[in-house]
Amino acid sequence: MGTPIIAGNWKMFKTVGEAVNFVSELAVRVAGIKGVEMVVCPPFTALAAVAGQLRDQGAGIALGAQNMYWEDEGAYTGEVAPGMLKEIGCRYVILGHSERRQYFGETDAVVNKKVHAALAHELIPIVCVGERLEERESGNTEEVVRRQVEGSLAELTARQAAAGLVVAYEPVWAIGTGRTASAADAQQVNKFIRGLLRNLFGEAAAQAVRIQYGGSVKPGNTAELMAQPDIDGALVGGASLEVDSFTDIIKNAVVGY
Ligand code: PEP
């Protein structure tokens, strides 16, 4: 509920120069659009430059990172701490993306540590959950999503949940495949997630959490997805890499919501 949130996950794409050019163009295209929160999540290397560009243009586009570690500092070669992201100007951080789970072994327990660390540093986590194709086909979608939601959000308070938490339902079979979940299927799982949040945190917090859908979101399917009562935004991969398609998704999200 609340303001819908459209976030672009750029994954391991775009140099610093490409990222800065992208947001300077995007800021012009989306100027004046109201009623939607816009977020770009570039690779770590481009975060500082993109932050500067967004600030210079007064773009009204928030910055997010794609991952982080949970410790404040230390001998963790290759990792990035929450405070470092905050210092740069990040407002959001994607946690538990299925590619992190699949290729880098992230478990719900790891995601949970990161969620707590993010909140401690006033970063808003975008917590990703979603079933694999074989899990859906064997009828286990709800069981998988329940495990991920309860594990990733363990020991959170209702107050923390209500303060801006975002959950992204991203069925793994729909990510980068061009195969979008139907609006009805996405709504069904998002509604299920809302129910889990209600059990964990109570009604008010469950309504305050924004639940995105992600998985081959495109300009053409955005309005229908966003019109569903429990879809409060989109996490967009491939279609967020082109200014034209990302702009159209943002515009269509406002129309559909
Ligand atoms: C994603 O990266 O989170 C994603 C949903 O990708 P795509 O939109 O390309 O399916």
Side-chain angles (χ1 to χ4, degrees):
M1 292 293 184
T3 308
I5 174 170
I6 304 296
N9 171 18
W10 293 357
K11 313 191 185 202
M12 201 171 71
F13 292 102
K14 295 196 190 296
T15 63
V16 175
E18 290 166 346
V20 168
N21 287 341
F22 183 100
V23 292
S24 59
E25 175 66 20
L26 180 68
V28 172
R29 301 273 199 101
V30 301
I33 295 181
K34 298 216 179 341
V36 61
E37 194 170 351
M38 301 169 272
V39 186
V40 289
C41 303
F44 286 130
T45 47
L47 283 172
V50 167
Q53 184 67 33
L54 292 174
R55 245 189 329 264
D56 289 351
Q57 285 186 260
I61 299 169
L63 186 66
Q66 299 173 21
N67 181 33
M68 56 165 230
Y69 196 55
W70 62 79
E71 294 286 356
D72 285 354
E73 61 181 5
Y76 303 105
T77 302
E79 294 294 328
V80 173
M84 297 171 181
L85 300 179
K86 188 73 188 171
E87 180 194 26
I88 288 175
C90 286
R91 178 169 166 76
Y92 291 94
V93 57
I94 299 171
L95 296 175
H97 191 280
S98 68
E99 288 151 17
R100 300 291 320 165
R101 294 175 186 265
Q102 184 178 349
Y103 303 129
F104 304 99
E106 287 198 11
T107 62
D108 293 327
V110 164
V111 177
N112 183 241
K113 285 187 186 181
K114 294 184 176 189
V115 167
H116 282 277
L119 292 169
H121 289 269
E122 297 181 336
L123 289 162
I124 298 178
I126 298 175
V127 180
C128 302
V129 300
E131 80 287 1
R132 298 196 304 264
L133 184 60
E134 60 272 25
E135 292 166 334
R136 170 159 284 257
E137 288 178 341
S138 57
N140 289 325
T141 297
E142 292 194 350
E143 184 193 323
V144 169
V145 169
R146 176 194 298 277
R147 193 179 61 232
Q148 292 177 337
V149 168
E150 292 179 352
S152 302
L153 303 182
E155 308 295 330
L156 239 64
T157 65
R159 180 188 286 244
Q160 286 175 312
L165 178 70
V166 179
V167 175
Y169 168 55
E170 297 211 303
V172 179
W173 47 270
I175 297 178
T177 59
R179 188 177 163 191
T180 319
S182 70
D185 283 348
Q187 161 59 22
Q188 192 179 358
V189 180
N190 276 35
K191 184 177 178 192
F192 175 71
I193 292 171
R194 184 92 59 201
L196 295 174
L197 296 172
R198 189 176 294 119
N199 292 341
L200 290 170
F201 306 119
E203 180 65 24
Q207 293 299 336
V209 174
R210 287 173 295 174
I211 308 176
Q212 297 174 310
Y213 166 78
S216 298
V217 172
K218 301 182 268 289
N221 57 28
T222 303
E224 190 189 4
L225 286 162
M226 295 294 298
Q228 306 304 312
D230 290 292
I231 299 182
D232 308 316
L235 184 53
V236 186
S240 75
L241 293 169
E242 301 292 334
V243 176
D244 284 348
S245 48
F246 197 46
T247 303
D248 287 345
I249 285 171
I250 290 166
K251 287 182 176 163
N252 293 349
V254 180
V255 172
Y257 194 61

